[in-house]
Amino acid sequence: MTEPVVGPPHGEDAVLVGVQSALTGRTGVLTTARAMSHFGEHSLGWLALSAAGALAQPRRRRAWLAAGAGTFAAHAAAVLIKRVVRRERPHHPAIAVNVATPSRLSFPSAHATSTTAAAMLLGRAAGLPGWLLPAVLVPPMALSRLVLGVHYPSDVAAGVAVGATVAAVTSRLDGDGR
């Protein structure tokens, strides 16, 4: 039996190949992307930061715990959406998969989802301007998912939207966080 002929990548596959071609050969890019992937796996790194903040700043404990709860809720929402949508991860032969994943499901990116929620909520808990942590943390995590070849750009964009929505709901439910 012969394998089907696969043509050149198109659409989001072509975007992934372009991102990987431009970045993966640069010193430290894959190492950094893999480290970010491990830190964000199941949102555990963000949850640890939330717990550390709650311990370090008892007066702002509620906001730090809300950050952890919102981050966990964002991750759970991403997992639930993945199970409903059931979109498979990129698999074009021109796309290098540079990290192991816990499932074959791709949409939305749980890393982008939990990182966006965490950035918004951790910044709030720390009393930082609302744009600062998302601007610093979300683009590198989003880009890392493409560099690693485990998500399509639309998976990442949807993850950012879901994470921002969960963070906004969490902030509203928590009120002033005191």
Side-chain angles (χ1 to χ4, degrees):
M1 196 149 112
T2 62
E3 291 291 320
V5 176
V6 177
H10 295 291
E12 290 191 283
D13 286 337
V15 173
L16 284 174
V17 170
V19 167
Q20 289 186 331
S21 295
L23 297 176
T24 56
R26 295 177 185 252
T27 303
V29 168
L30 277 178
T31 302
T32 301
R34 286 183 184 123
M36 292 171 70
S37 184
H38 295 308
F39 179 87
E41 194 67 44
H42 305 296
S43 69
L44 294 177
W46 303 123
L47 295 175
L49 287 177
S50 298
L55 291 172
Q57 292 187 318
R59 290 186 181 183
R60 299 196 51 81
R61 181 168 287 141
R62 179 175 164 169
W64 287 103
L65 293 176
T71 299
F72 181 77
H75 177 74
V79 170
L80 180 64
I81 295 167
K82 279 180 191 273
R83 291 185 176 162
V84 170
V85 173
R86 305 200 63 75
R87 181 184 198 185
E88 291 207 9
R89 293 188 186 273
H91 53 271
H92 191 281
I95 299 168
V97 177
N98 294 306
V99 70
T101 59
S103 83
R104 293 177 18 171
L105 302 177
S106 183
F107 183 92
S109 164
H111 281 77
T113 304
S114 62
T115 297
T116 301
M120 292 173 69
L121 295 168
L122 292 172
R124 177 178 170 265
L128 298 172
W131 58 269
L132 184 60
L133 281 185
V136 171
L137 299 176
V138 174
M141 182 62 84
L143 187 59
S144 77
R145 308 316 289 158
L146 305 180
V147 165
L148 294 172
V150 294
H151 285 289
Y152 294 106
S154 59
D155 299 336
V156 173
V160 170
V162 171
T165 300
V166 173
V169 169
T170 301
S171 293
R172 175 164 264 178
L173 291 174
D174 188 46
D176 66 7
R178 291 184 197 166

